[in-house]
Amino acid sequence: MDAQSQQQQQQGGVVKKKETRGRKPKPKEDKKDEHHHHSAKAKKSHQQPSVDDKYTQWKSVVPVLYDWLSNHNLVWPSLSCRWGPQLEQATYKNRQRLYLSEQTDGSVPNTLVIANCEVVKPRVAAAEHISQFNEEARSPFVKKYKTIIHPGEVNRIRELPQNTKIIATHTDSPDVFIWDVEAQPNRHAVFGATNSRPDLILTGHQDNAEFALAMCPTEPYVLSGGKDKSVVLWSIQDHISTAATGSGGSIIKNTKPGEGSEKAVDGPIVAPRGIYYGHEDTVEDVTFCPSSSQEFCSVGDDSCLILWDARTGSSPAVKVEKAHDADLHCVDWSPHDDNLILTGSADNSVRMFDRRNLTSGGLGAPIHKFEGHKAAVLCVQWSPDRSSVFGSSAEDGLLNIWDYEKVGKKVERAPKNPSSPPGLFFQHAGHRDKIVDFHWNASDPWTIVSVSDDCDTTGGGGTLQIWRMSDLIYRPEEEVLAELEKFKSHVVSCTSKA
């Protein structure tokens, strides 16, 4: 009985968190009630197109808009999804690791899932194949490879660029866990199973650190932010073997173990390299400058964007007050241009800042505001391939793809949708509830994995989609027109022969 009431208390905590943060799924019991409430509401205002209507409309245009799409119904919601290393290249598809999680209701343990994904190559999938998927089914392209029993739910997953087999996870605790996913044993997630042992535990936060997590592109450094309003930096250099950049890289297991912890999680402890104070509320996201392990930035519920430089001490290098009109949820630093930083907020907008000119009159002075979402933006990420392109996902269930070079340019022909916000050139509408995470694939740059919590509408725990828009959408116009002209003449000649 005690355990049951404890579980209910925990669930109560999750519900509260969703209302304030807008991130976590509610427990299934509450969701059912909420669903009935929404159904009744929907009947009253049936003049508004429902989620199902919009989804049906989207599904009908899938063969035209997408080069490939795979829909994977999850048993439990996943709050994060990340691409791992590419394993194999073949004629029609490539095999690649995919990192996910399972946020359970306590009947079975929370897990970190390592899956193998078959990524179909561009222009291989047939149109009818793309559109014929079952929302209730698992995708044949995604297969579970290994399960790690995670101490608490997985809120964030980030891979180490120097060796993508090493990943960091955030849970509802002050610690960051480091996992060597290849060396970790495969576990069976049954009720009562003991937690897997992290390869390293990074300590330093004084309160829970749930979402803000980043890995450095240039050095094996880890960055985190939390409810203690701090940003914490660690180096895991000394804990990774010299072969870490090669295929055999792994965590050195004979590191002196720590004293363990009360949560029955134990593993080698790593103390921070630096702790940085400047935020006045929870730090929601962090990211490194792509060209420097000493420079990074953070955003938080205090509406601030802060730039830090580890070489100049633990105070902010630049603090941008009121970067948005509400809490900031996410940030990403351009891998193509060190001056450009994207932020996403509960004010439904994405903003782009130039670090040479961040403020005006003490307040944030973005160079662009992108306003195409109807709810809080949860995730922003630059394209690894095209310097002016980035994606943003939100609680409105949409994943928008933007090109800032298109902002302010005259469109010679009348746009099909004059209400379309400047810079928006593609909208992925395949999810029926908030998109909690997405990740561009560096090995196949126009392929994206996205995950949503839509238990009510899918009969499962959530939806994972792997998709690639048609290249006719983003290639140069002259090229596309030339190809269509060629195709047209080919069709004409075939018809005349017939």
Side-chain angles (χ1 to χ4, degrees):
M1 186 66 193
D2 258 69
Q4 195 179 357
S5 57
Q6 195 180 353
Q7 191 179 321
Q8 281 167 352
Q9 257 184 337
Q10 284 171 348
Q11 288 181 340
V14 170
V15 176
K16 189 176 171 197
K17 208 168 287 169
K18 173 168 178 182
E19 286 160 6
T20 53
R21 293 266 306 106
R23 294 280 184 108
K24 302 272 184 87
K26 288 187 178 179
K28 292 194 185 264
E29 297 82 6
D30 290 9
K31 280 186 151 306
K32 278 175 197 156
D33 298 340
E34 191 191 54
H35 187 44
H36 292 315
H37 173 63
H38 281 319
S39 304
K41 224 161 122 180
K43 278 173 192 162
K44 279 183 196 169
S45 61
H46 59 273
Q47 68 273 19
Q48 283 285 329
S50 72
V51 169
D52 283 340
D53 292 343
K54 286 179 183 167
Y55 179 78
T56 308
Q57 192 182 352
W58 167 80
K59 201 173 172 185
S60 68
V61 293
V62 163
V64 182
L65 296 179
Y66 294 83
D67 179 68
W68 180 55
L69 183 133
S70 173
N71 186 90
H72 188 65
N73 184 243
L74 299 167
V75 180
W76 299 105
S78 177
L79 291 184
S80 198
C81 57
R82 301 293 286 187
W83 292 106
Q86 196 173 67
L87 305 172
E88 191 185 319
Q89 294 193 342
T91 313
Y92 299 111
K93 50 192 181 185
N94 300 326
R95 205 153 56 88
Q96 193 167 350
R97 286 272 194 266
L98 189 61
Y99 303 134
L100 305 165
S101 66
E102 292 177 316
Q103 185 196 7
T104 71
D105 60 1
S107 57
V108 289
N110 289 290
T111 66
L112 175 61
V113 175
I114 294 91
N116 285 339
C117 179
E118 303 285 346
V119 180
V120 174
K121 286 190 172 180
R123 299 206 163 195
V124 167
E128 64 275 12
H129 162 78
I130 298 170
S131 57
Q132 285 170 3
F133 61 82
N134 177 0
E135 290 88 346
E136 307 296 329
R138 317 273 173 265
S139 165
F141 297 102
V142 180
K143 296 209 162 48
K144 200 179 272 194
Y145 164 73
K146 186 182 276 191
T147 301
I148 291 167
I149 297 180
H150 196 270
E153 60 196 32
V154 181
N155 296 334
R156 272 285 175 273
I157 303 167
R158 290 292 179 262
E159 67 293 344
L160 189 68
Q162 295 82 26
N163 181 357
T164 52
K165 296 173 184 176
I166 293 171
I167 64 173
T169 56
H170 251 328
T171 185
D172 292 353
S173 92
D175 301 333
V176 177
F177 301 130
I178 302 290
W179 308 89
D180 177 344
V181 294
E182 296 303 316
Q184 280 284 335
N186 189 17
R187 301 287 305 282
H188 192 43
V190 293
F191 183 73
T194 56
N195 291 327
S196 296
R197 182 177 182 266
D199 291 284
L200 295 173
I201 298 172
L202 313 186
T203 62
H205 277 294
Q206 302 305 307
D207 199 347
N208 289 355
E210 296 172 345
F211 292 101
L213 185 62
M215 299 285 225
C216 176
T218 57
E219 301 278 342
Y221 287 179
V222 182
L223 194 63
S224 164
K227 287 186 170 177
D228 58 3
K229 307 170 192 173
S230 76
V231 172
V232 185
L233 176 70
W234 296 267
S235 168
I236 55 173
Q237 180 90 53
D238 301 340
H239 304 272
I240 299 177
S241 68
T242 49
T245 48
S247 57
S250 75
I251 304 283
I252 297 172
K253 298 296 186 291
N254 59 7
T255 316
K256 187 183 169 204
E259 302 76 49
S261 76
E262 294 160 26
K263 298 187 298 297
V265 174
D266 104 66
I269 303 271
V270 180
R273 186 185 175 96
I275 301 181
Y276 304 87
Y277 290 102
H279 281 286
E280 283 151 39
D281 206 335
T282 302
V283 180
E284 293 283 7
D285 200 11
V286 288
T287 187
F288 280 94
C289 172
S291 62
S292 164
S293 58
Q294 304 299 313
E295 295 174 83
F296 38 92
C297 67
S298 57
V299 295
D301 289 347
D302 54 4
S303 303
C304 292
L305 160 67
I306 298 182
L307 272 63
W308 310 88
D309 188 331
R311 295 162 299 198
T312 61
S314 57
S315 298
V318 185
K319 183 170 182 176
V320 182
E321 304 271 2
K322 213 164 164 54
H324 281 258
D325 303 323
D327 298 3
L328 272 74
H329 283 156
C330 47
V331 63
D332 197 29
W333 203 316
S334 170
H336 314 284
D337 182 342
D338 279 0
N339 292 312
L340 298 181
I341 295 168
L342 289 172
T343 55
S345 163
D347 68 7
N348 308 352
S349 77
V350 174
R351 296 185 180 183
M352 186 191 296
F353 289 89
D354 184 324
R355 72 157 164 177
R356 293 163 298 190
N357 185 20
L358 287 162
T359 56
S360 167
L363 300 177
I367 50 173
H368 288 306
K369 292 182 186 179
F370 301 91
E371 297 177 318
H373 286 291
K374 293 183 170 65
V377 178
L378 298 181
C379 189
V380 287
Q381 200 204 350
W382 290 96
S383 158
D385 184 59
R386 190 76 62 89
S387 63
S388 58
V389 170
F390 64 90
S392 64
S393 69
E395 289 188 0
D396 58 8
L398 296 172
L399 203 165
N400 289 339
I401 306 295
W402 309 81
D403 185 344
Y404 73 75
E405 283 185 350
K406 289 185 171 17
V407 175
K409 286 198 174 171
K410 283 183 180 172
V411 183
E412 286 172 28
R413 289 187 304 280
K416 283 177 187 160
N417 181 6
S419 65
S420 182
L424 180 65
F425 77 96
F426 189 83
Q427 200 163 56
H428 177 63
H431 292 282
R432 284 178 281 181
D433 210 327
K434 59 179 185 224
I435 301 175
V436 287
D437 201 11
F438 75 93
H439 193 203
W440 296 86
N441 189 341
S443 305
D444 186 352
W446 285 92
T447 304
I448 289 175
V449 59
S450 48
V451 70
S452 58
D453 165 43
D454 40 17
C455 314
D456 291 339
T457 41
T458 58
T463 303
L464 177 89
Q465 289 182 340
I466 300 154
W467 53 277
R468 184 193 304 118
M469 70 178 84
S470 164
D471 61 13
L472 298 176
I473 293 169
Y474 60 81
R475 275 170 46 213
E477 197 174 338
E478 320 75 68
E479 239 182 69
V480 171
L481 291 172
E483 185 180 325
L484 293 174
E485 196 55 46
K486 216 160 98 182
F487 179 67
K488 180 181 161 189
S489 53
H490 173 69
V491 171
V492 169
S493 68
C494 290
T495 319
S496 60
K497 280 172 194 166

